[in-house]
């Protein structure tokens, strides 16, 4: 076997956790199926459970059957098994790291992985600094060299100061270049397409500014509630869980200037500029331009579901938001005066993520004058579950009467893909092994996103109000509709 620059052992802390079973193992399986992983590659799942390797393999196989997007082929599974291991360790016990270190060097011999590591922290956030510290103390990181990388799941801090403290501890051990902060939205196929759509099509980029765009809407709705994550959600709410990361990342890609080139740093530089241009909220503007809500009981697909406050590990008097809608201003030259409306919520009517660009109306003469209404041009970037691009424009309806109607051009990306689009984690895991951090967030992106989100959290703290509830299975509180109605606009339905 020749050594590949991507050769490494991926050490997954949290090897028996939900994320590993639902996302990481299926992603590794599908990469194996596509033969996309280097030959010199192994995976060690590290968990606190005292189970034998066989029992772990059984659990992993069951997880694949349940969560893999492709059917599990026993031949591919057998190939993955040859490089998948389980090792028990307590995350704050030095003995476990000592054993792990020995085990990893044995595997280096067997798989030719040359001491290269990707440490993937798929654990509760309180363990992020603990594990990084222990890896350092047990000489498992050859101080900041390129052969040792760390992947950090969210949440990256709970506010600006905790994020800063966490970042400092991580970057004392791993360099920024070797720190991969995951935002799984960036691995989604259509999100990677946003820059292409904008910067490879003159028809879009030439009108991508306040002169032609009326408003932009970024929506991500979920049908599920908080599931078994009540304890975490009570600390985060929709603002920290979805807006601080995924929603703001979408906004940066839509609003950024063209980068000087396609290098990771040039792209990140432009994204940071957008985050710095976000107008922060004051208690007054938060009151006026942000709507929060919490789901009450309701029906989803005809079945009754309980209210947020009745979920496990949620306070009966919880005031945590499960829905948030906000009107954001990007105060720079390109976007002055164009509102960005963002909304995200759990227990809504549909699962969907979509970005809608509504163009300005033409002068109200000619057709508008004669027919009374003209629909605006709308560009919709559908991120999930349907992936594609939709453009609405006006034509004359065929026939003897003169009627103008909106029609659309619709590109369905996942209808075209032979194989379904890869899951975000497949792309992201591959990028880590290849040392490409373009789809991961740089520290100053995280920092500036926190600054913005903290302006909202602080405003809420000074003006605590009882949250409106919305029935599960609806589009959130009525006030979210009014947020746009008072601007003579409307949400375009996902
Ligand atoms: C996670 C949030 O980051 O994203 C979850 O913590 C949310 O609360 C999930 O459900 C949504 O991801 P997706 O890919 O299903 O839109």
């Amino acid at each position: 076997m020749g050594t590949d620059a991507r050769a490494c052992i991926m050490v997954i802390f949290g090897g028996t956790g939900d994320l590993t079973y639902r996302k990481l193992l299926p992603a590794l399986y599908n990469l194996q199926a596509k033969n996309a992983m280097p030959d010199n590659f192994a995976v060690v799942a590290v968990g606190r459970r005292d189970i034998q390797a066989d029992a772990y393999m059984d659990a992993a196989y069951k997880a694949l059957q349940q969560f893999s997007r492709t059917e599990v082929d026993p031949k591919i599974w057998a190939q993955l098994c040859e490089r998948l291991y389980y090792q028990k360790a307590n995350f704050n016990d030095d003995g476990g790291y000592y054993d792990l270190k020995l085990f990893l060097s044995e595997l280096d011999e067997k798989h030719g992985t040359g001491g290269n590591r990707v440490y993937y922290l798929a654990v509760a956030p309180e363990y992020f600094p603990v594990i990084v510290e222990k890896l350092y103390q047990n000489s498992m990181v050859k101080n900041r060299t390129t052969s040792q990388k760390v992947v950090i799941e969210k949440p990256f801090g709970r506010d600006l100061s905790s994020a800063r403290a966490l970042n400092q501890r991580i970057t004392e051990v791993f360099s920024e270049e070797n720190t991969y902060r995951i935002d799984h939205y960036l691995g989604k196929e259509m999100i990677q397409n946003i820059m292409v759509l904008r910067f490879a099509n003159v028809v879009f980029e030439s009108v991508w500014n306040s002169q032609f765009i009326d408003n932009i809407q970024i929506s991500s709705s979920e049908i599920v509630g908080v599931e078994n994550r009540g304890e975490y959600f009570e600390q985060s709410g929709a603002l920290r869980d979805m807006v601080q990361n995924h929603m703001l990342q979408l906004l940066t890609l839509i609003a950024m200037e063209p980068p000087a080139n396609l290098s990771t740093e040039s792209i990140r530089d432009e994204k940071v500029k957008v985050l710095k241009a976000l107008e922060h909220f004051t208690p007054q503007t938060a009151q006026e331009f942000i709507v929060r809500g919490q789901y009450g009981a309701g029906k989803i697909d005809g079945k009754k579901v309980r209210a947020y406050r009745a979920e496990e590990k949620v306070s009966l008097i919880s005031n945590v938001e499960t829905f948030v809608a906000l009107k954001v201003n990007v105060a720079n030259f390109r976007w002055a005066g164009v509102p960005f409306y963002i909304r995200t919520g759990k227990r809504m009517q549909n699962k969907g993520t979509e970005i809608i660009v509504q163009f300005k109306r033409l002068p109200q003469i000619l057709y508008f004058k004669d027919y009374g209404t003209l629909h605006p041009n709308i560009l919709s970037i559908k991120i999930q579950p349907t992936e594609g691009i939709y453009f609405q424009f006006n034509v004359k309806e065929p026939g003897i009467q003169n009627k103008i109607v909106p029609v659309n051009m619709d590109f369905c990306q996942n209808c075209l893909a032979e194989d379904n689009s890869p899951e975000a984690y497949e792309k992201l895991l591959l990028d880590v092994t290849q040392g490409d951090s373009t789809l991961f967030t740089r520290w100053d992106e995280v920092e500036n996103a926190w600054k913005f989100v903290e302006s909202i959290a602080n405003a809420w703290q000074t003006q605590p109000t009882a949250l409106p509830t919305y029935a599960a299975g609806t589009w959130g509180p009525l006030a979210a509709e009014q947020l746009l109605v008072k601007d003579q606009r409307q949400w375009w339905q996902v």
Side-chain angles (χ1 to χ4, degrees), residues 23 154 184-185 188 220 222 224 227 229 232-233 241-242 245-246 346 351 353 384:
K23 299 287 182 192
K154 65 178 278 260
H184 78 279
Y185 267 50
K188 292 183 193 281
S220 193
E222 295 186 88
V224 292
E227 301 179 291
R229 297 163 74 224
Y232 154 76
F233 208 81
D241 186 49
M242 291 293 290
N245 37 69
H246 311 321
K346 292 200 180 281
K351 164 87 180 163
T353 304
Q384 62 180 13

Side-chain angles (χ1 to χ4, degrees), residues 189-415:
E189 206 37 62
M190 278 310 292
I191 290 177
Q192 294 167 55
N193 226 332
I194 295 175
M195 277 179 58
V196 178
L197 180 74
R198 290 189 51 197
F199 304 135
N201 291 294
V202 66
V203 289
F204 296 126
E205 191 46 28
S206 54
V207 293
W208 211 259
N209 55 49
S210 61
Q211 221 185 323
F212 298 101
I213 291 180
D214 179 80
N215 75 91
I216 294 184
Q217 304 178 9
I218 307 177
S219 295
S220 193
S221 58
E222 295 186 88
I223 295 176
V224 292
V226 288
E227 301 179 291
N228 55 0
R229 297 163 74 224
E231 194 174 355
Y232 154 76
F233 208 81
E234 281 283 272
Q235 295 303 312
S236 73
L239 178 69
R240 292 178 169 87
D241 186 49
M242 291 293 290
V243 177
Q244 190 276 341
N245 37 69
H246 311 321
M247 306 304 279
L248 289 183
Q249 282 294 324
L250 294 184
L251 188 152
T252 59
L253 290 167
I254 282 291
M256 68 191 263
E257 293 299 318
N261 52 49
L262 291 179
S263 75
T264 303
E265 297 316 321
S266 299
I267 294 172
R268 288 164 152 193
D269 287 346
E270 295 308 329
K271 288 168 72 193
V272 169
K273 286 185 201 159
V274 175
L275 291 165
K276 286 186 176 165
L278 297 180
E279 213 167 88
H280 288 193
F281 285 90
T282 63
Q284 288 70 35
T285 55
Q287 184 103 346
E288 204 175 335
F289 300 121
I290 305 183
V291 174
R292 291 179 270 173
Q294 188 185 78
Y295 62 82
K299 276 193 175 173
I300 304 258
D301 288 338
K303 282 196 202 124
K304 281 192 186 160
V305 295
R306 59 187 170 182
Y308 175 70
R309 289 180 180 185
E311 300 278 16
E312 266 168 50
K313 300 199 176 161
V314 169
S315 155
L316 289 173
I317 51 164
S318 173
N319 233 2
V320 167
E321 77 289 350
T322 59
F323 172 95
V324 60
L326 52 158
K327 178 179 173 183
V328 178
N329 290 323
V330 181
N332 64 15
F333 202 82
R334 186 187 284 256
W335 296 114
V338 179
F340 286 71
Y341 299 102
I342 293 180
R343 74 174 161 172
T344 180
K346 292 200 180 281
R347 283 285 188 234
M348 302 191 67
Q349 209 171 76
N350 278 341
K351 164 87 180 163
T353 304
E354 186 166 26
I355 300 173
I356 289 183
V357 179
Q358 179 182 334
F359 290 90
K360 287 200 162 149
R361 292 175 193 273
L362 285 168
Q364 300 192 356
I365 51 174
L366 298 183
Y367 294 105
F368 186 87
K369 206 161 119 205
D370 284 1
Y371 302 109
T373 55
L374 265 193
H375 291 268
N377 288 145
I378 284 179
L379 177 74
S380 156
I381 305 171
K382 298 181 201 176
I383 291 159
Q384 62 180 13
T386 313
E387 294 169 358
I389 294 160
Y390 159 112
F391 184 65
Q392 175 183 292
F393 59 103
N394 293 312
V395 296
K396 176 187 167 301
E397 194 176 61
I400 45 172
Q401 81 265 48
N402 286 329
K403 197 170 166 202
I404 295 189
V405 288
V407 292
N408 61 68
M409 290 195 278
D410 204 353
F411 160 61
C412 170
Q413 171 146 302
N414 50 350
C415 308

